[in-house]
Amino acid sequence: MQISLSDSMISEFLSGLFAVFSLVAVGGILSLVLQRMARSFPFTRLSLILGLAPLSFFKFLEPGGSSTLFLYSMIVILLGITIDGISHLLDPRESPRAKAAPKKAEAGKEAEPAPGMIVWEKTE
């Protein structure tokens, strides 16, 4: 069995390998730049990394291929923003009234009513 590798095959493989490593490097740099977003907007950060890394190389593509890249980036970034928006809306929150109510109840129990004041207590 003979395997023949031509110079063009090796050249194409190395150029593809260079493109993949450069995408990973740009993604890593974007990950470090957007590190502060990780706690509050993790999916938006990930989508920005996945969408902006290939966009940095759109000048190297032929003119017809860049529209597909723009569409991919737009869809990925919108999905990340949508997922973070939905998770933000679904997070349970405490209302300000709920926080203030126990404080008033504790203060009311500790304080003695003024003389001549009628205290109504809830029966169980």
Side-chain angles (χ1 to χ4, degrees):
M1 180 162 89
Q2 288 183 330
I3 298 175
S4 63
L5 296 174
S6 65
D7 291 339
S8 64
M9 287 176 58
I10 294 174
S11 174
E12 287 180 20
F13 174 76
L14 290 177
S15 66
L17 195 64
F18 177 73
V20 169
F21 283 141
S22 61
L23 278 173
V24 170
V26 170
I29 291 169
L30 283 171
S31 175
L32 291 175
V33 169
L34 301 174
Q35 196 169 16
R36 295 182 65 182
M37 284 181 69
R39 177 174 284 154
S40 54
F41 305 111
F43 287 101
T44 303
R45 175 182 177 244
L46 181 65
S47 67
L48 282 172
I49 291 168
L50 290 175
L52 292 178
L55 271 182
S56 62
F57 297 110
F58 83 94
K59 290 282 188 181
F60 298 109
L61 297 174
E62 63 263 4
S66 62
S67 63
T68 307
L69 186 61
F70 290 138
L71 182 65
Y72 162 76
S73 296
M74 182 180 66
I75 290 172
V76 167
I77 291 172
L78 286 176
L79 276 174
I81 292 171
T82 303
I83 291 171
D84 275 338
I86 290 172
S87 68
H88 175 74
L89 291 175
L90 294 178
D91 283 341
R93 292 189 194 91
E94 294 181 19
S95 65
R97 293 181 183 176
K99 290 180 182 177
K103 292 179 183 177
K104 289 181 180 178
E106 291 173 5
K109 290 180 182 177
E110 293 175 358
E112 292 292 323
M117 181 181 273
I118 301 173
V119 178
W120 294 90
E121 294 185 15
K122 191 174 189 179
T123 60
E124 295 179 14

